[in-house]
Amino acid sequence: MTKYIFVTGGVVSGLGKGITAASLGRLLKARGLKVAAQKLDPYINVDPGTMSPYQHGEVYVTEDGAETDLDLGHYERFIDEDLNKYSNLTTGKVYWNVLNKERRGEYLGSTVQVIPHITNEIKEFVYSVGKKTNADVVITEIGGTIGDIESQPFIEAIRQISLEIGRENSLFIHVTLVPYLRGSEEHKSKPTQHSVKELQGMGINPDIIVLRCDEPLEKSIFHKIAMFCNVKPDCVIENITLPNLYEAPLMLEKSRFSEVVCRELGLDTKAPDLHEWEEMVNRINSARSHVVEIGLVGKYVALHDAYLSVAEALHHAGYYHNVHININWIDSEEITPENVDTMLSGLDGIIVPGGFGSRGIKGMILTAKYAREKRIPYFGICLGMQIAVIEFARNAAGISDADSGEFNELCRNKVIDFMPGQSDEIDKGGTLRLGSYPCVIQPGTMMERCYGSLEICERHRHRYEFNNDYREILSSRGLTLSGLSPDGRLVETIELPDHPFFIGVQYHPEFKSRPNKPHPLFVGFIREAADYSYNGQSSDTD
């Protein structure tokens, strides 16, 4: 039978439940188990797709096109398994499903209530990921903090699951904060005790308690929490803040985390093979001190989590090239013709990531022009590719009013626009191209040199496309359409052949980058940025 592990959080939010769950997934996979992971989010949005990045960070997109919580990115990066639409559930989606079933008469006239109808919907979803993936272990993280009103139906649902499958097939891990009072120079266990008491009042007794702390804990804290929270002494695990989050699995395993989990679940496994992961962490920690300055020019830079996967992918490529990546977070709204040189000087590479809406677009276009003319490595992702096309059309192809239909519906020269047949479905939730799509790369391009292949599949999340009416004129002026959809209808990537590195892609390669397997486009981008850093200019060779 599939084993189910539930990860909850207490005291405060932002404790790193997602990193704890992801680290455990990596450890269990290293023991030879097939692991699946999912996140249950209490907010009432159906998914985070229409939420501002300032509200909840980036939207992470799975292979099958689900718009999900950013914690799923941690799961994929750590466990290195593709997740799917069964990996993220929200309160909004639960009620949406239940109300649709009620309208169809599936409840046979029953009064629809939180128990059993809402909790049954949650349970069905939790069970589904194990069935769909045939996993040995399913790790389910419950969003929010114990005591939140919104999360109560989820807590009740996982309590029922534990009863249905038996405690021998389920495990509860509670992540809490142990604050350090500098005035008295001591850690305090009382917040953890109160959080566990709250959880017990909802019918759940945690099997393992993970203690988030900034300073190493005294032994007395472990004994006190074990005694007052009714768990075994070795089931209290320290989770100390680390400078490199990829050290977390190794740090947790020093406390025999996965061994304790397997023992409590009755899983007979081999010792974890963490050789590759240890090598990667050692490579990260021993990287030479050379710093490559990357400018990330976006409209949501006030919250770095809005570009979490992009930042991680940049660091992955830095690990590969044995250099440190310093990300300069640059608000595109602040870039003007008068200050663009000052704002972007000293950068070794520039990346313009995805986004929606017209705010900050002028600064991004100035950025693309600066990178193109100064021959600084440029990498445009989704919106960043569209920006590059608009800038090239205006300043290199002589189409001075070139724009996107997203920013200017009345523009005569929409080099970026809805494709034919797409504009009939203007509803915000219905027109995004989501999930994995194939792309055919043109031979002899920088794209081919980066990928080493002419056929790829990448994840998309966008509404507007390159307008095919402008293919001929832009190509004739020097823009290479280096990647197309298999039927040739959609332009997926562009590049400048006479530039050391100037690539724009309509998709989101950052979602497929892993710390031990960096994405080839980020590898190519950082290679050229490092060359620019060393030499003051990029090399024109691969």
Side-chain angles (χ1 to χ4, degrees):
M1 175 180 281
T2 299
K3 307 285 187 175
Y4 289 85
I5 298 173
F6 302 102
V7 181
T8 57
V11 183
V12 295
S13 61
L15 284 178
K17 295 193 306 295
I19 296 297
T20 300
S23 297
L24 178 58
R26 163 54 63 173
L27 294 170
L28 294 179
K29 184 177 179 181
R31 286 179 172 270
L33 297 171
K34 183 173 176 54
V35 180
Q38 62 181 185
K39 174 83 180 288
L40 309 183
D41 278 305
Y43 51 74
I44 301 176
N45 302 67
V46 173
D47 59 44
T50 56
M51 294 169 66
S52 165
Y54 285 131
Q55 292 285 314
H56 219 252
E58 75 173 5
V59 175
Y60 191 83
V61 178
T62 59
E63 285 285 297
D64 59 356
E67 295 178 287
T68 71
D69 182 80
L70 60 80
D71 274 320
L72 269 70
H74 290 312
Y75 301 163
E76 286 204 356
R77 285 187 285 272
F78 277 71
I79 305 173
D80 196 18
E81 296 285 347
D82 289 337
L83 303 180
N84 53 48
K85 63 183 180 181
Y86 299 103
S87 300
N88 197 200
L89 181 69
T90 68
T91 294
K93 192 177 294 182
V94 171
Y95 276 87
W96 178 281
N97 292 343
V98 168
L99 290 174
N100 278 307
K101 288 179 179 179
E102 185 271 334
R103 291 290 85 184
R104 293 194 298 266
E106 292 186 24
Y107 296 125
L108 303 177
S110 297
T111 300
V112 179
Q113 297 177 293
V114 173
I115 302 174
H117 301 95
I118 297 299
T119 51
N120 282 351
E121 189 71 24
I122 296 169
K123 289 191 296 182
E124 182 180 334
F125 188 90
V126 172
Y127 287 137
S128 67
V129 72
K131 295 174 183 176
K132 295 289 181 181
T133 61
N134 196 30
D136 299 310
V137 178
V138 175
I139 301 173
T140 303
E141 177 192 349
I142 315 300
T145 307
I146 292 302
D148 293 347
I149 293 174
E150 294 93 340
S151 62
Q152 289 180 3
F154 292 100
I155 300 299
E156 172 60 20
I158 65 175
R159 183 193 70 81
Q160 292 179 21
I161 288 174
S162 180
L163 291 177
E164 291 171 2
I165 66 177
R167 286 307 304 267
E168 69 276 10
N169 295 312
S170 61
L171 185 81
F172 294 104
I173 298 174
H174 194 49
V175 182
T176 72
L177 176 69
V178 179
Y180 181 74
L181 300 185
R182 298 202 176 276
S184 57
E185 296 185 342
E186 62 179 342
H187 286 99
K188 290 295 185 180
S189 66
K190 193 63 70 177
T192 294
Q193 294 177 44
H194 280 299
S195 180
V196 171
K197 183 179 179 181
E198 181 87 18
L199 188 59
Q200 289 171 335
M202 302 175 79
I204 291 176
N205 292 304
D207 302 287
I208 295 174
I209 299 175
V210 176
L211 307 177
R212 178 65 185 273
C213 52
D214 292 326
E215 310 281 347
L217 298 173
E218 310 85 55
K219 287 185 178 181
S220 59
I221 289 288
F222 296 96
H223 294 303
K224 182 184 290 187
I225 289 176
M227 179 174 63
F228 283 105
C229 297
N230 197 30
V231 298
K232 298 172 184 177
D234 65 349
C235 288
V236 182
I237 307 292
E238 182 182 69
N239 183 3
I240 195 165
T241 304
L242 298 168
N244 171 18
L245 63 88
Y246 297 114
E247 291 184 49
L250 304 180
M251 179 267 295
L252 290 168
E253 193 59 14
K254 288 180 181 178
S255 300
R256 300 172 37 244
F257 188 30
S258 68
E259 179 184 335
V260 170
V261 166
C262 289
R263 182 194 70 200
E264 295 300 303
L265 284 172
L267 289 168
D268 184 15
T269 66
K270 64 179 183 180
D273 180 5
L274 295 168
H275 178 72
E276 180 186 0
W277 201 263
E278 289 170 344
E279 280 191 345
M280 179 195 71
V281 169
N282 289 335
R283 189 167 62 251
I284 294 171
N285 293 335
S286 62
R288 57 188 170 184
S289 58
H290 186 77
V291 176
V292 176
E293 300 286 346
I294 299 297
L296 191 153
V297 180
K299 58 174 68 179
Y300 313 118
V301 294
L303 180 67
H304 294 181
D305 274 357
Y307 303 110
L308 179 61
S309 291
V310 173
E312 289 303 310
L314 288 169
H315 289 302
H316 299 165
Y319 306 154
Y320 180 88
H321 288 295
N322 197 28
V323 296
H324 288 282
I325 303 300
N326 182 47
I327 300 176
N328 297 261
W329 302 88
I330 301 172
D331 189 341
S332 62
E333 281 195 282
E334 297 181 3
I335 300 175
T336 65
E338 294 73 29
N339 70 10
V340 62
D341 283 315
T342 303
M343 295 282 289
L344 302 180
S345 64
L347 298 177
D348 304 314
I350 295 171
I351 188 165
V352 178
F356 295 92
S358 60
R359 182 173 61 83
I361 294 302
K362 292 180 180 178
M364 294 181 191
I365 292 174
L366 288 169
T367 297
K369 182 175 186 288
Y370 182 88
R372 180 176 61 84
E373 294 180 343
K374 300 288 186 181
R375 295 176 62 79
I376 299 172
Y378 175 91
F379 189 11
I381 295 175
C382 195
L383 175 61
M385 168 187 150
Q386 298 174 2
I387 291 296
V389 171
I390 294 169
E391 189 282 321
F392 185 88
R394 288 182 183 181
N395 301 310
I399 310 173
S400 59
D401 65 341
D403 215 328
S404 166
E406 181 180 9
F407 314 140
N408 184 359
E409 293 183 5
L410 302 179
C411 171
R412 286 191 312 148
N413 288 295
K414 298 176 184 176
V415 294
I416 303 295
D417 202 7
F418 282 109
M419 294 300 292
Q422 193 179 26
S423 57
D424 297 331
E425 305 173 12
I426 237 33
D427 183 64
K428 293 295 184 186
T431 59
L432 286 180
R433 185 149 66 104
L434 288 165
S436 182
Y437 286 85
C439 172
V440 177
I441 296 173
Q442 303 305 303
T445 59
M446 184 170 291
M447 284 286 294
E448 183 193 11
R449 294 199 296 274
C450 287
Y451 277 98
S453 173
L454 295 178
E455 295 181 3
I456 61 170
C457 284
E458 294 283 1
R459 301 180 194 179
H460 292 247
R461 182 179 184 253
H462 62 96
R463 182 174 293 112
Y464 291 82
E465 306 278 359
F466 184 106
N467 189 337
N468 289 331
D469 292 341
Y470 294 86
R471 281 194 187 190
E472 184 176 347
I473 184 171
L474 295 183
S475 297
S476 69
R477 299 301 174 90
L479 187 70
T480 297
L481 311 182
S482 53
L484 304 174
S485 59
D487 60 8
R489 290 183 60 247
L490 301 174
V491 175
E492 303 284 29
T493 76
I494 60 96
E495 62 184 67
L496 294 178
D498 58 348
H499 194 287
F501 190 99
F502 195 102
I503 285 180
V505 298
Q506 190 60 80
Y507 48 81
H508 289 267
E510 68 270 23
F511 293 147
K512 297 182 76 168
S513 186
R514 306 288 182 259
N516 52 341
K517 291 187 290 186
H519 192 281
L521 285 182
F522 282 88
V523 169
F525 173 60
I526 294 301
R527 178 183 60 240
E528 291 299 332
D531 283 347
Y532 189 95
S533 175
Y534 284 124
N535 306 321
Q537 60 182 0
S538 293
S539 66
D540 288 317
T541 59
D542 183 38

